[in-house]
Amino acid sequence: MWACYKRRGNNGMMENNKSICVALNTKSYNIIIGHTFGLENFLRDKNISSFFIVSDCNVFRNYGRALINSLSKYGLTITKSIIMPGEKSKSFSVLEKLCRDAAAAELDRKSLVVALGGGVVGDIAGLMAAIYLRGIRLLQVPTSLLAMVDSSVGGKTAINIPEGKNLVGAFHQPLGVVINIETLKTLPHREYLSGLAEIIKYGVIKDSLFFDFVAKNRSNLLRRDTSALEKVILRACKIKAEVVSSDEKESGLRQILNFGHTFGHAVESIGKYQKWLHGEAVSIGMAFAAELSAITGKGNKESAEMIRNVLTSYKLPVSLNKRKYKKMWKSFRTKINTDKKTIGGKPRFVLFTEIGTVKFGCEVSEDAMKEAFERILK
Ligand SMILES: NC(=O)c1ccc[n+]([C@@H]2O[C@H](COP(=O)([O-])OP(=O)(O)OC[C@H]3O[C@@H](n4cnc5c(N)ncnc54)[C@H](O)[C@@H]3O)[C@@H](O)[C@H]2O)c1
Ligand SMILES: [Zn+2]
């Protein structure tokens, strides 16, 4: 049964919260999934001296007060630094601002950075926590669907430079991840769909029953039904936790999480990180990878079709405009090479063999890549 989780009664969290352990050699932590910020007792024995909230102004406007109320029960100093929403904030200048705000707030080695927001906030607050005073603790409080099921778990933090996205970063595992599902009520629809793309990815890479569940529960998920959402967030986090536990620094299995991302990152880059949201680009990337699986004979045509159909049923893009992009293969091909998994100019793809099973590190021919590109032009 894929909906496997344990209830926690005795950890001081509310009884109806669910918890998943990300088991790591040195610093295991929990992902708590519930309906409040419910932080009171979770942090009780952590010897924290002060809180430093990092958020963006959209999210802070909606949830800053509730988070502060939850933290204020500790009687510790709470300071904050609020950044502008959007990918542009993942920059050295914003990172510097966060560090200087942290210094002004007199953070010490026992302070806790609380990242309240989507993946942008989580990534930059995480990097700041990784480097400030050579590393202080971090609590992830993700508020976008993508951040809940992906970026808040696993310890990857980063900012962008003009030469590329996420090129400057560090691994810095959080003290915990606290997911308040209720925050999804205010998430813009397009952002919500973008998060669903990553959820569909988890089904393809690890769990065909989960893939079927997501396919069959389209109307519940599209109207953000709480019970369906809780199930998929739980399962997606469980898969991510398992994969991260077995390969913390992405030297092997963790690469499967990049299904659809090799081409997806190229799409994001060609769109200058403005035309497509991350999940949308990954959706196109998954359609590309599905074609590549079929072309190379690793996966069958029917499964490739199923992946495309499910993505389309969630109104996610699976193609590129033929007229606009047909002459641009070379640009896409160049961008593919900037993928971190490219070695000696040869990109490595994650390809499915059947839904629920993928292989990573697959080298494919130039012709196969070009054909997959041509197949997704519509
Ligand atoms: N570290 C990782 O492992 C990892 C994995 C995947 C993606 N990422 C990164 O995550 C980023 C994308 O994250 P994202 O999709 O969450 O984007 P985001 O952080 O830009 O958030 C999307 C938008 O939604 C708003 N928002 C977030 N939560 C809201 C809520 N509950 N109510 C109303 N508005 C809300 C934000 O203000 C923002 O405008 C990218 O920079 C990507 O590189 C990192
Ligand atoms: Zn992703």
Side-chain angles (χ1 to χ4, degrees), residues 150 198 261 278 282:
D150 194 0
E198 297 280 1
H261 283 61
H278 177 71
V282 168

Side-chain angles (χ1 to χ4, degrees), residues 287-305 308 351-353 368 371-372 375:
F288 176 91
E291 292 298 351
L292 209 46
S293 292
I295 292 163
T296 56
K298 289 211 161 46
N300 59 35
K301 261 194 356 219
E302 292 70 29
S303 301
E305 180 88 28
R308 220 177 15 249
L351 299 178
F352 77 89
T353 47
E371 189 178 340
R375 285 192 189 182

Side-chain angles (χ1 to χ4, degrees), residues 335-353:
K335 296 286 180 197
I336 287 174
N337 261 17
T338 61
D339 186 88
K340 294 186 195 74
K341 291 171 301 301
T342 296
I343 302 168
K346 288 197 190 308
R348 317 277 149 138
F349 287 89
V350 182
L351 299 178
F352 77 89
T353 47

